[in-house]
Amino acid sequence: MILDERNGVILREEKNVIASREAAKQSVHRIVFALLLMLASSAFAWPWSSDKKNAEEEARIKDSLLQVEVRNLQREVETLTRIRMQKADSLEKLDAKHWSNRYAESQMTEEHQNETRELDGRYSKLSTDLGRITEEAMSSKSVTEEAEEKSKSEEIAFDAFNTQIKLSIDKTLGDVAGDYPVGMNARLLRLKQANIEAEKKVPNTIAAVQGFMDDLLKRHEITYTQFYGNEVSQVGSRPDVNVTRMRLGTVFLGEVANDNGDVQALMRSGALQGKIFEWNAKLPVEISQNVKQAVTQAGSAPVANGVVSIPLDVLQNKAIKNSITDTKELTWTEEFKSFFKKGGIVMYPLMFVAIIALLLFLERFIMLSYRGKIGCRFSKKMSELVAEKKFEDAANLCLQKETSLSRVLFAVLNKAKDTRENAERSLNEALLREQPKLERRMGLLAAMGTIAPLLGLLGTVTGIITLFTVITEVGTNDARVLAGGISEALVTTEMGLVIAIPVMILHGLLSEKIEKITSELYVQSTWLLNQVFGKELK
């Protein structure tokens, strides 16, 4: 900017000098022009002028004018010289100022460059620090995310563990009612408390596990310990009876009433689910005396070798149970209820399938018997009317009946005054309408016959799974118990086959009846076509 100002001043000074020179040249030109005029005037005036003085006077005047003009030019030249000198001084000052400004500019440029280099260094350092901090932040974020994922994984594992504990507690609670009855109330309280701890908003899993494990330990303690002493129990139908109890683990538990000497024993029921143990107060006389003697010996003076004989098989299988219980003959209703109960929950859908199949058979049988009925009186009357060409009367007779045959024959009689082709088309339409009505729900009846054995197989599979689950939990060393469980599991298969076989037989009977009706429809309709349009046959 300073350089531009200096150049502008120099240009203006040069223009002023040039203007002064032009003015001086013009003044010189004017003087020269004046002299030439004077010479010309004198030249033209001299030959004809008579007065020499006038000419000299004019010459002096012209000389004076020239001198004045010369002095003016000199002054102008001096002025221009002075102006030039002033301009030169101004130019020198401007040049000095220009170089001073250039120096200042160079100083400022150098300072700016230094500051720029300093800022670049600071920016580079800040960029390095920012990159390092960003990497540390990303590393910290990664560590935080890993910690969060680990925390979530541990939380999920903890919830799964707590859920597993809760399911185990719920399963044990459901099994307590059918388990060994000794200490049942205390077990229920412990398991209920453990279940409450597991179901809290913030589950106390440790307390729930502790309660559950305490119950398992107490249950095992009952299994592997013995007891002899006085208790209050229910003997038969008498509640709150003081008894003397002797228990050998979970293998034997006998009680003798202190007031009248009644005897009862806790034995396995032989069931795989539900109530596994049950009290038996109706023991045979011999075994009742042996149990009473064993309890009495255990409470009296020490016996030989400290051994008391127990009059029961420690395996307590169903054969022993049946041999020591009173034999009672059951009615067929009670036997069916017992058989139904052995099959389990799958027996309910099996009975539903059996009822649906029976209802379908009755509905189809009644419908086919009604719509497929072919009366002799109707056939005879129809033959007479057709033979007499009374087609309208025959059609009215068909309308009075609601059978499939009357509908098909009506379709032919309705086209009696038309061509045979139209009558056959009407007949085919009627047959297509009646055929689905006859075969309706037959597929569903066949499906019932197929579903029944599949449901029976499902019940068998679930029963065997339950059997092996029970064996895994409580164990058994008697093959007869295993065989009895499998026989109970096969009850559903037996029931499924009992349902499926009659259903398939009934389905076959109905199918044969439908085929017979359909065949009769074709025969009667063809006969009627031949009677009505016999002359048009080619």
Side-chain angles (χ1 to χ4, degrees):
M1 183 178 179
I2 296 172
L3 183 60
D4 293 338
E5 292 179 356
R6 176 179 174 276
N7 293 332
V9 171
I10 293 171
L11 290 173
R12 286 194 298 271
E13 292 297 334
E14 290 178 353
K15 289 180 180 179
N16 291 330
V17 172
I18 292 170
S20 299
R21 290 176 179 175
E22 293 292 332
K25 288 180 180 181
Q26 291 178 1
S27 298
V28 172
H29 291 163
R30 286 197 296 269
I31 293 170
V32 173
F33 183 71
L35 289 174
L36 291 174
L37 285 177
M38 290 174 62
L39 290 174
S41 63
S42 61
F44 284 104
W46 180 74
W48 295 278
S49 177
S50 60
D51 196 352
K52 190 177 180 179
K53 288 183 178 180
N54 291 336
E56 291 177 355
E57 188 68 28
E58 290 178 359
R60 285 195 297 274
I61 292 170
K62 291 178 180 179
D63 291 336
S64 299
L65 291 172
L66 289 172
Q67 290 176 0
V68 171
E69 196 69 33
V70 168
R71 284 194 294 272
N72 290 334
L73 289 173
Q74 289 177 350
R75 284 195 295 272
E76 289 180 1
V77 170
E78 291 175 355
T79 301
L80 290 173
T81 303
R82 186 173 59 255
I83 290 171
R84 184 178 181 182
M85 294 300 292
Q86 290 176 355
K87 297 300 182 183
D89 293 339
S90 298
L91 287 173
E92 290 179 356
K93 291 179 180 179
L94 288 173
D95 192 36
K97 186 177 181 182
H98 167 69
W99 287 109
S100 176
N101 291 335
R102 286 287 301 273
Y103 179 76
E105 287 180 358
S106 64
Q107 290 293 111
M108 292 177 65
T109 302
E110 185 177 357
E111 291 177 358
H112 175 70
Q113 291 176 353
N114 292 333
E115 291 179 355
T116 302
R117 285 192 293 270
E118 184 180 356
L119 289 174
D120 288 340
R122 293 175 61 185
Y123 175 76
S124 178
K125 183 179 179 181
L126 289 174
S127 298
T128 304
D129 294 341
L130 180 62
R132 179 177 53 81
I133 293 172
T134 303
E135 290 179 358
E136 292 178 355
M138 293 298 293
S139 177
S140 177
K141 183 179 179 181
S142 178
V143 172
T144 303
E145 290 178 352
E146 290 178 359
E148 289 179 353
E149 290 179 359
K150 186 177 180 181
S151 176
K152 290 181 180 179
S153 177
E154 291 178 353
E155 184 178 355
I156 292 172
F158 177 77
D159 292 340
F161 177 70
N162 186 74
T163 303
Q164 188 65 32
I165 293 297
K166 185 177 179 302
L167 292 175
S168 299
I169 293 172
D170 291 339
K171 183 177 183 301
T172 306
L173 273 172
D175 295 339
V176 165
D179 199 3
Y180 204 70
V182 176
M184 181 182 295
N185 293 332
R187 290 190 64 194
L188 289 173
L189 291 175
R190 284 193 297 268
L191 292 172
K192 285 288 186 182
Q193 184 61 35
N195 195 27
I196 291 172
E197 296 293 338
E199 289 181 344
K200 285 183 177 179
K201 188 175 182 180
V202 179
N204 190 354
T205 307
I206 296 177
V209 173
Q210 185 176 2
F212 181 66
M213 296 304 296
D214 288 343
D215 178 72
L216 290 180
L217 291 175
K218 294 294 183 182
R219 178 63 180 84
H220 283 289
E221 183 180 352
I222 294 173
T223 303
Y224 299 106
T225 59
Q226 302 176 8
F227 173 81
Y228 181 85
N230 294 323
E231 294 287 339
V232 177
S233 179
Q234 178 176 345
V235 179
S237 60
R238 296 191 302 150
D240 300 332
V241 178
N242 293 322
V243 298
T244 301
R245 174 180 294 176
M246 183 175 70
R247 178 177 60 80
L248 178 61
T250 58
V251 176
F252 173 77
L253 176 58
E255 292 180 349
V256 178
N258 296 332
D259 53 359
N260 59 0
D262 288 343
V263 177
Q264 68 176 2
L266 183 67
M267 307 179 65
R268 291 184 181 272
S269 63
L272 299 176
Q273 301 181 63
K275 194 172 183 181
I276 300 175
F277 295 90
E278 62 182 5
W279 287 100
N280 192 340
K282 297 180 179 181
L283 298 172
V285 177
E286 182 180 358
I287 295 180
S288 177
Q289 291 177 353
N290 291 335
V291 171
K292 185 175 182 180
Q293 182 180 359
V295 174
T296 304
Q297 288 179 357
S300 62
V303 296
N305 299 324
V307 177
V308 176
S309 298
I310 298 175
L312 290 176
D313 184 0
V314 295
L315 299 179
Q316 294 189 6
N317 52 50
K318 294 178 67 176
I320 298 297
K321 174 180 177 293
N322 293 332
S323 67
I324 63 175
T325 55
D326 294 335
T327 303
K328 180 180 178 181
E329 186 175 355
L330 301 177
T331 62
W332 69 270
T333 305
E334 292 174 343
E335 288 181 355
F336 178 77
K337 288 181 179 179
S338 176
F339 178 79
F340 190 88
K341 186 177 180 181
K342 288 179 181 179
I345 193 172
V346 182
M347 296 293 285
Y348 292 97
L350 281 172
M351 290 303 299
F352 178 75
V353 168
I355 293 172
I356 294 298
L358 179 60
L359 292 177
L360 288 173
F361 171 75
L362 293 177
E363 187 269 338
R364 286 290 87 195
F365 183 79
I366 294 172
M367 193 280 297
L368 293 175
S369 299
Y370 176 73
R371 296 189 65 87
K373 183 179 180 181
I374 302 174
C376 296
R377 295 177 59 186
F378 173 79
S379 299
K380 184 177 180 181
K381 184 68 174 177
M382 179 63 65
S383 300
E384 293 176 355
L385 293 174
V386 171
E388 296 174 1
K389 304 297 181 180
K390 297 180 179 180
F391 299 131
E392 293 183 0
D393 294 340
N396 293 329
L397 178 63
C398 291
L399 291 176
Q400 296 175 4
K401 302 292 182 180
E402 292 294 333
T403 62
S404 297
L405 180 60
S406 63
R407 298 292 177 86
V408 171
L409 297 181
F410 176 78
V412 177
L413 294 172
N414 195 32
K415 300 291 182 179
K417 296 181 180 181
D418 208 335
T419 63
R420 183 184 181 93
E421 181 180 355
N422 292 334
E424 290 179 351
R425 187 180 296 111
S426 177
L427 173 61
N428 291 332
E429 292 177 357
L431 290 173
L432 290 175
R433 284 195 300 267
E434 292 299 322
Q435 190 74 21
K437 293 179 181 179
L438 297 174
E439 297 178 354
R440 186 182 301 169
R441 300 188 184 90
M442 290 299 293
L444 184 59
L445 181 60
M448 294 296 106
T450 305
I451 291 172
L454 294 178
L455 286 174
L457 181 61
L458 174 63
T460 299
V461 172
T462 55
I464 291 177
I465 291 173
T466 304
L467 170 64
F468 283 105
T469 301
V470 173
I471 291 174
T472 302
E473 292 179 354
V474 301
T476 181
N477 55 359
D478 192 346
R480 288 177 292 179
V481 175
L482 179 62
I486 294 175
S487 65
E488 289 185 6
L490 292 173
V491 167
T492 53
T493 300
E494 180 185 3
M495 189 66 180
L497 294 174
V498 168
I499 294 172
I501 293 172
V503 169
M504 297 306 294
I505 294 174
L506 295 177
H507 180 269
L509 293 175
L510 291 177
S511 298
E512 185 178 354
K513 189 174 183 64
I514 291 172
E515 185 177 355
K516 181 179 179 181
I517 294 172
T518 305
S519 176
E520 190 65 25
L521 292 178
Y522 279 101
V523 170
Q524 293 290 340
S525 60
T526 304
W527 169 81
L528 184 59
L529 278 174
N530 293 332
Q531 291 293 324
V532 176
F533 302 99
K535 296 180 180 181
E536 297 184 13
L537 290 174
K538 294 182 181 181

